[in-house]
């Protein structure tokens, strides 16, 4: 695969658009009774970010959760626990799917994501 250098601002815009799209997709699937699986594309992007810019990976997960919660139909709440379970499946093509690796991912997300929601722990 060819590498492409992207300046910071366009990178942020691309990532934001991607996360918003995946959040809408996730909310629609949860509303149809499916699990909170964020999709393999999100898993691949998350894994790459985790290896390159861990803080950005955490932010992308928090943004995905926020977008899915905002887009979900009334009465259909996307919960962080459910999204974490789905993330593990979305990472199946990456080294992060291995038990010990995912334990670090999960612990980090559980510790950091509430900061994006004003410290709320009822996510």
């Amino acid at each position: 695969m060819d590498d492409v250098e992207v300046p910071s601002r366009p990178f942020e815009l691309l990532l934001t658009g991607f996360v918003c799209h995946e959040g809408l997709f996730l909310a629609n699937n949860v509303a149809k009774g499916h699990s909170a699986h964020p999709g393999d594309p999100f898993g691949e992007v998350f894994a790459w970010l985790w290896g390159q810019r861990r803080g950005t990976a955490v932010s992308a997960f928090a943004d995905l959760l926020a977008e899915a919660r905002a887009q979900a139909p009334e009465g259909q709440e996307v919960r962080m626990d459910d999204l974490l379970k789905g993330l593990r499946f979305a990472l199946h093509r990456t080294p992060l799917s291995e038990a010990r690796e995912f334990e670090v991912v999960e612990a980090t997300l559980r510790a950091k994501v509430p900061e994006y929601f004003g410290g709320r722990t009822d996510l």
Side-chain angles (χ1 to χ4, degrees):
M1 179 187 287
D2 294 331
D3 290 339
V4 177
E5 189 173 323
V6 180
S8 292
R9 182 68 179 144
F11 174 78
E12 291 170 7
L13 294 170
L14 288 167
L15 185 58
T16 298
F18 172 71
V19 169
C20 287
H21 175 271
E22 295 301 306
L24 180 58
F25 176 77
L26 176 62
N28 286 334
N29 280 337
V30 168
K32 292 176 184 173
H34 299 285
S35 66
H37 187 301
D40 289 354
F42 183 83
E44 291 178 35
V45 170
F46 180 89
W48 179 82
L49 286 170
W50 188 264
Q52 301 295 316
R53 300 168 65 170
R54 191 165 289 187
T56 303
V58 172
S59 177
F61 182 88
D63 290 346
L64 178 69
L65 179 59
E67 189 65 25
R69 290 170 70 93
Q71 296 294 335
E74 192 171 324
Q76 295 282 339
E77 188 173 50
V78 178
R79 309 278 309 154
M80 187 166 85
D81 283 345
D82 296 332
L83 187 52
L84 283 168
K85 289 176 190 170
L87 179 63
R88 184 171 205 152
F89 292 112
L91 295 171
H92 71 99
R93 295 183 186 162
T94 76
L96 295 180
S97 67
E98 297 171 16
R100 291 186 184 192
E101 294 296 322
F102 189 75
E103 287 172 7
V104 173
V105 169
E106 184 176 17
T108 302
L109 293 174
R110 285 190 185 283
K112 298 287 185 183
V113 168
E115 296 172 12
Y116 290 86
F117 292 86
R120 288 182 51 199
T121 56
D122 62 336
L123 303 169

